[in-house]
Amino acid sequence: MSTSSMQTPITPGAALRAEVAELRRNPRASVLVIGGGINGIATFRDLALQGVDVVLVERDDFVSGASSASSHMIHGGIRYLENGEFRLVNESVVERNGLIKIAPHYVKPLQTTVPIYSTFSGILSAPLRFLTHKQGKPTERGAALIKTGLTIYDAFSRDGGSVPRHRFHGRTRSLAELPALDPAIKYTATYYDASMHDPERLALDVLADGQAAGPHARAANHLGAVSLGAGGVRVRDGLTGEEFDLVADVVVNTTGPWTDLTNADLGRPSTYMGGTKGSHIVLDHPELLAATGGREIFFEHEDGRIVLIYPLKGRVMVGTTDLEHDMREPAICTEEEVDYFFELIAHVFPGIHVGRDDIVYRFSGVRPLPRHDDTQPGFVSRDYRIERAELAELPGTTMLSLVGGKWTTFRALAEHLSGEILELLGRERTVSTAGLAIGGGAGYPTTEDERLVWVAAHADEVGRARADELLERYGTRAEDFLADLDGDLEHPLAGAHDYSEQEIRRIVRTERVARLADLVFRRTSLAFTGRLSSPLLEELAALAGDELGWDEARRAAEVEDVVGTLATRHGVRLTGERMTAGA
């Protein structure tokens, strides 16, 4: 589900976008992937690299649903050890280490500290949870249990030191390193996972890699599957309302937590999913940011929920919840969840006051978990499986539904899912994505010396500071933008000087932007960091409108849509100067 609130076509009868027009001209493909979250996009890329004629359609914008509402982490899943999911932990750690190498522009080692209040708490209850995974009285983990878990976790991280091993400190050393922590702590444990500071941009890189494989790989956003009939899978253009059929030998449902709803639309009702809602808030709070010491603070609260306090983009993100959710309703971060987050901050940093005025953004998404009945949400498997069905309406067509999946394992999952598809098509794998650089991760400078060399090599074009900024934002794909500039002087946006008019125009032209919301929420981090203002939104709408041929009415509708989405979905209102808390 997109962050966009507009549900009806806004330009009925308008000319079709080029990618949609091409699909209408040639509606046949070997594989149709429905759902443009990270798992659908990664499967699209994997198949495209094998030379498979593949089409990807997404009802809203690419990476606009569960994949855009993540905790911005690539992690091995230490808690999965307690679930007994050793295969998943091993795969997750391998993929985490791999992503640090193939997507170093967006995935980086993340120092993570766990505050610990007791020595032996949880030792008696943990084995019971391991055996039953049923709801019981939650208990905060003590040092002995955490030490055991981290020692096992390190054993899975054998990949030549991609991340350091864990370390334990007592109260004195812990408070010396992080003096704002609750002085009642007894220990801290520090280990490393990985951050993913721009999940949407990472997914767009994966998508671009797939599209670059050749004209056999076609993708369109704002094009949703709405039904199934003898003519194929009927899709509807969300911008024009136009409908037409697509035909494929294999149809793949990768719509995440919406999998059952998509199957119902296609006349194949299912009850595979049981997703849970996870919410986050983003705070502009310099004192709290400094208190984290650049580390993620990560622990299990006494109610059994996993908690993170995470410095990110000059802000602090706090999450997350784990609540049952009806996918027919939008996922929204509630006031009760905000109160809960404030309690968590006070639990760890009791001397720091945080209020609603500090919130610049809030967001909520639904994890694509399998149906779990009475299993405690935190213990529902994060592993994935693939369900298969034959489509009687389309003889010879097989439908696959992906159940589960998470950001960390998207590459391995796509390889697995593509392997099943290739088998159905009677084809062999020709390319492995293991170790294959993603987008701007190709040739990315991973040492300080290498970075200095890259920046110096491009400083004559835009200056050192700007070259470094572009490298951080796009990886080595920044070189494509610099080539487009061709020596022209950039014109910074009036409302966001770290972006230029040329940069925004290029994003709109090359990254399938169709709505202002696509640009604001997913191609940039302006909304996430609370940097939008009314004048900036108008400025962005003018630039996007120039590229996409919007008239004044369309620009006004796009601005109104974003303002409404900010208020109803993200808990902030737009003023002349900035985004502020409260709808």
Side-chain angles (χ1 to χ4, degrees):
M1 179 179 293
S2 170
T3 54
S4 173
S5 61
M6 206 172 282
Q7 300 297 317
T8 56
I10 59 174
T11 54
L16 294 177
R17 291 165 286 155
E19 58 270 24
V20 178
E22 164 57 24
L23 288 174
R24 292 202 72 161
R25 283 193 298 268
N26 179 16
R28 189 78 170 82
S30 295
V31 181
L32 170 63
V33 180
I34 302 171
I38 184 56
N39 290 316
I41 287 172
T43 302
F44 169 80
R45 171 186 183 244
D46 194 296
L47 291 169
L49 292 172
Q50 315 311 317
V52 173
D53 181 14
V54 57
V55 168
L56 170 70
V57 297
E58 161 58 42
R59 182 184 300 268
D60 295 299
D61 186 24
F62 301 120
V63 214
S64 61
S67 297
S68 69
S70 76
S71 294
H72 291 64
M73 293 172 60
I74 297 292
H75 63 95
I78 184 172
R79 189 177 181 184
Y80 307 155
L81 293 172
E82 196 169 350
N83 294 24
E85 295 185 280
F86 300 113
R87 188 212 70 79
L88 181 58
V89 173
N90 183 67
E91 180 180 70
S92 297
V93 168
V94 168
E95 291 302 307
R96 178 200 68 192
N97 294 347
L99 285 170
I100 289 172
K101 294 175 180 177
I102 66 176
H105 54 323
Y106 295 136
V107 181
K108 303 176 187 296
L110 174 65
Q111 187 175 198
T112 303
T113 292
V114 183
I116 306 169
Y117 287 84
S118 71
T119 303
F120 299 109
S121 177
I123 285 181
L124 295 178
S125 57
L128 183 61
R129 285 193 298 268
F130 177 87
L131 292 172
T132 67
H133 298 174
K134 302 302 182 185
Q135 185 74 44
K137 183 179 180 181
T139 306
E140 255 185 298
R141 273 66 169 166
L145 192 61
I146 291 172
K147 177 69 175 177
T148 300
L150 286 174
T151 299
I152 297 172
Y153 196 53
D154 281 346
F156 283 95
S157 299
R158 303 186 185 95
D159 185 18
S162 290
V163 299
R165 294 183 178 274
H166 82 275
R167 62 182 187 270
F168 247 79
H169 294 313
R171 177 188 289 119
T172 301
R173 176 71 180 274
S174 298
L175 293 177
E177 291 187 358
L178 298 169
L181 279 178
D182 183 0
I185 64 166
K186 289 189 174 182
Y187 315 90
T188 58
T190 297
Y191 67 102
Y192 282 78
D193 264 325
S195 68
M196 176 177 56
H197 61 81
D198 273 305
E200 294 87 354
R201 294 220 57 87
L202 174 55
L204 290 168
D205 263 10
V206 176
L207 177 67
D209 284 352
Q211 292 175 304
H216 61 280
R218 298 174 289 166
N221 53 352
H222 301 285
L223 187 67
V226 294
S227 64
L228 177 70
V233 175
R234 175 140 295 235
V235 294
R236 178 183 300 140
D237 188 326
L239 302 185
T240 68
E242 299 286 337
E243 294 186 1
F244 59 97
D245 293 330
L246 295 174
V247 182
D249 299 313
V250 182
V251 176
V252 189
N253 179 356
T254 58
T255 56
W258 291 273
T259 294
D260 289 334
L261 298 183
T262 300
N263 283 342
D265 286 343
L266 299 181
R268 293 293 181 280
S270 61
T271 55
Y272 300 142
M273 308 305 297
T276 61
K277 185 180 77 164
S279 295
H280 302 76
I281 57 174
V282 181
L283 302 164
D284 183 359
H285 198 295
E287 184 184 6
L288 181 61
L289 180 65
T292 66
R295 310 179 188 185
E296 179 189 47
I297 310 300
F298 183 86
F299 62 100
E300 184 176 36
H301 195 40
E302 59 189 11
D303 64 2
R305 293 179 185 173
I306 294 296
V307 179
L308 56 93
I309 302 173
Y310 185 175
L312 188 67
K313 298 178 178 293
R315 305 290 186 258
V316 181
M317 186 176 73
V318 184
T320 176
T321 50
D322 207 355
L323 304 170
E324 302 291 346
H325 185 73
D326 182 347
M327 289 311 303
R328 294 167 295 187
E329 300 295 329
I332 297 171
C333 179
T334 65
E335 295 305 319
E336 291 76 16
E337 288 174 295
V338 171
D339 289 338
Y340 175 74
F341 292 142
F342 287 170
E343 291 171 8
L344 299 177
I345 297 169
H347 177 67
V348 180
F349 297 112
I352 297 177
H353 173 73
V354 177
R356 278 173 166 73
D357 288 345
D358 300 310
I359 300 174
V360 296
Y361 196 69
R362 63 175 84 176
F363 63 98
S364 189
V366 181
R367 303 171 184 89
L369 303 181
R371 182 178 177 179
H372 50 271
D373 298 322
D374 63 343
T375 299
Q376 187 176 343
F379 287 95
V380 179
S381 175
R382 265 56 173 176
D383 213 338
Y384 54 86
R385 72 178 194 269
I386 301 164
E387 298 283 350
R388 182 181 299 194
E390 301 301 321
L391 299 181
E393 299 93 331
L394 301 172
T397 298
T398 301
M399 181 171 176
L400 302 178
S401 295
L402 174 65
V403 180
K406 62 195 188 85
W407 258 105
T408 301
T409 56
F410 74 81
R411 189 214 62 83
L413 182 154
E415 187 172 71
H416 180 185
L417 181 52
S418 295
E420 290 208 14
I421 295 167
L422 290 170
E423 182 179 343
L424 286 169
L425 297 175
R427 300 181 60 156
E428 298 289 332
R429 174 171 294 277
T430 58
V431 176
S432 173
T433 57
L436 184 64
I438 294 173
Y444 185 82
T446 55
T447 68
E448 190 59 34
D449 286 345
E450 290 174 351
R451 189 180 187 97
L452 289 172
V453 169
W454 192 97
V455 169
H458 297 89
D460 289 344
E461 299 164 271
V462 291
R464 284 181 176 269
R466 178 61 169 159
D468 190 73
E469 185 174 72
L470 292 170
L471 178 65
E472 184 70 12
R473 187 172 292 159
Y474 304 111
T476 54
R477 278 200 165 142
E479 294 170 351
D480 298 334
F481 171 62
L482 292 172
D484 279 356
L485 276 180
D486 195 25
D488 290 345
L489 184 66
E490 284 191 279
H491 303 289
L493 297 185
H497 292 173
D498 55 327
Y499 283 92
S500 70
E501 293 180 5
Q502 293 95 324
E503 184 181 0
I504 295 299
R505 288 182 182 278
R506 188 177 193 279
I507 288 172
V508 174
R509 285 196 308 270
T510 65
E511 295 186 356
R512 301 292 174 90
V513 170
R515 304 292 310 278
L516 184 60
D518 302 343
L519 177 64
V520 167
F521 293 110
R522 289 168 290 279
R523 306 308 187 278
T524 71
S525 57
L526 293 168
F528 183 90
T529 54
R531 298 174 56 204
L532 285 177
S533 64
S534 294
L536 176 55
L537 198 57
E538 296 286 352
E539 187 176 13
L540 293 169
L543 291 168
D546 283 348
E547 294 295 325
L548 298 174
W550 294 345
D551 60 19
E552 287 300 323
R554 173 69 185 273
R555 294 182 191 188
E558 293 289 340
V559 169
E560 182 181 1
D561 174 61
V562 170
V563 170
T565 299
L566 285 168
T568 59
R569 298 292 300 278
H570 302 292
V572 291
R573 56 188 173 87
L574 212 57
T575 67
E577 296 182 356
R578 54 165 290 183
M579 294 160 59
T580 57

